[in-house]
């Protein structure tokens, strides 16, 4: 079970549960074609972002496998919502999870996604007790690849033309980190 002690603060960020009043800020980046380019969904209308937000508002804890933790990322200095994190509890028996992240492009290249996703890994390994956390991305998504590598995740698979996404065959990359690797990195 994972019930984070919110808010979680980092040097520059505040991680917290999503709220219904996050709709405009969330849609400000979910509606962008450059954000949705490598995701399964296309640019979202305000109504589509509202539907996605409704699920996220009720996903601030994880009590069983198959659920996901949704975490809003805001700038501590301004309170502006800049990112959306999720950690899916894939298997209780095998202690597996999968992380996901989407950030507003205005905040790319500043280390903010790294700062936030490190906390997501910490929650998964130290609080949920996961053994292995994976991350997947479109093979063309160099920014996501770079982030997972900076997190210390290793590329485990490159699946050639694995899926048809938005009418186009795409490669899928799978990155992973084990609990012991997290502990070694956290200590070092």
């Amino acid at each position: 079970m994972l019930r984070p002690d919110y808010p979680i603060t980092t040097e520059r960020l505040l991680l917290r549960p999503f709220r219904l009043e996050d709709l405009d800020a969330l849609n400000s980046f979910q509606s962008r074609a450059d954000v949705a380019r490598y995701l399964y969904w296309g640019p979202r209308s305000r109504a589509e972002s509202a539907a996605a937000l409704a699920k996220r508002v009720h996903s601030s804890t994880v009590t069983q496998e198959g659920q996901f933790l949704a975490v809003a990322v805001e700038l501590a200095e301004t309170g502006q919502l800049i990112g959306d994190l999720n950690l899916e509890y894939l298997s209780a028996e095998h202690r597996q999870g999968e992380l996901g992240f989407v950030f507003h492009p205005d905040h790319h290249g500043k280390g903010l996604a790294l700062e936030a996703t490190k906390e997501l890994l910490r929650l998964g390994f130290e609080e949920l007790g996961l053994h292995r956390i994976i991350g997947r991305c479109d093979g063309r998504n160099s920014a996501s690849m770079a982030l997972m590598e900076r997190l210390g995740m290793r590329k485990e698979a490159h699946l050639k033309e694995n899926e048809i996404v938005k009418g186009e065959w795409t490669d899928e990359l799978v990155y992973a980190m084990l609990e012991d690797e997290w502990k070694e990195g956290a200590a070092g």
Side-chain angles (χ1 to χ4, degrees):
M1 180 176 342
L2 176 57
R3 293 185 189 277
D5 186 15
Y6 294 114
I8 299 165
T9 58
T10 68
E11 183 181 341
R12 299 175 290 170
L13 302 171
L14 185 82
L15 282 61
R16 59 165 176 79
F18 276 93
R19 303 183 290 247
L20 290 176
E21 53 269 23
D22 290 327
L23 178 57
D24 289 335
L26 185 64
N27 186 246
S28 76
F29 57 94
Q30 286 190 348
S31 64
R32 294 175 58 140
D34 57 340
V35 169
R37 180 175 181 198
Y38 300 122
L39 301 174
Y40 291 115
W41 41 269
R44 288 185 170 158
S45 67
R46 193 169 194 285
E48 290 168 330
S49 287
L53 178 60
K55 292 177 186 172
R56 302 189 95 51
V57 165
H58 299 290
S59 298
S60 62
T61 63
V62 172
T63 57
Q64 62 190 12
E65 73 177 56
Q67 294 180 327
F68 71 96
L69 180 75
V71 179
V73 180
E74 68 178 46
L75 290 174
E77 190 174 304
T78 65
Q80 179 186 6
L81 179 74
I82 64 162
D84 174 4
L85 302 175
N86 65 277
L87 178 64
E88 184 176 357
Y89 192 14
L90 298 175
S91 170
E93 179 183 0
H94 302 291
R95 297 174 39 217
Q96 308 260 340
E98 179 176 352
L99 62 77
F101 44 85
V102 179
F103 281 79
H104 194 296
D106 290 353
H107 302 283
H108 288 180
K110 301 174 185 175
L112 296 168
L114 179 66
E115 193 173 318
T117 50
K118 277 184 182 177
E119 280 300 307
L120 199 63
L121 287 171
R122 183 189 66 74
L123 289 171
F125 288 123
E126 296 178 15
E127 295 192 27
L128 188 53
L130 295 176
H131 170 70
R132 183 171 189 270
I133 297 175
I134 66 164
R136 298 178 300 138
C137 69
D138 185 299
R140 301 166 295 177
N141 192 341
S142 58
S144 288
M145 287 183 260
L147 175 57
M148 288 187 278
E149 290 168 5
R150 283 193 310 274
L151 285 166
M153 300 177 85
R154 98 190 132 282
K155 184 165 74 169
E156 290 191 332
H158 184 148
L159 307 171
K160 299 294 276 179
E161 296 186 6
N162 184 53
E163 298 176 301
I164 297 176
V165 178
K166 299 175 185 158
E168 183 178 0
W169 282 107
T170 62
D171 293 1
E172 179 181 18
L173 303 179
V174 180
Y175 285 79
M177 178 181 278
L178 298 175
E179 180 182 23
D180 289 344
E181 294 166 331
W182 168 256
K183 288 177 183 175
E184 288 170 18

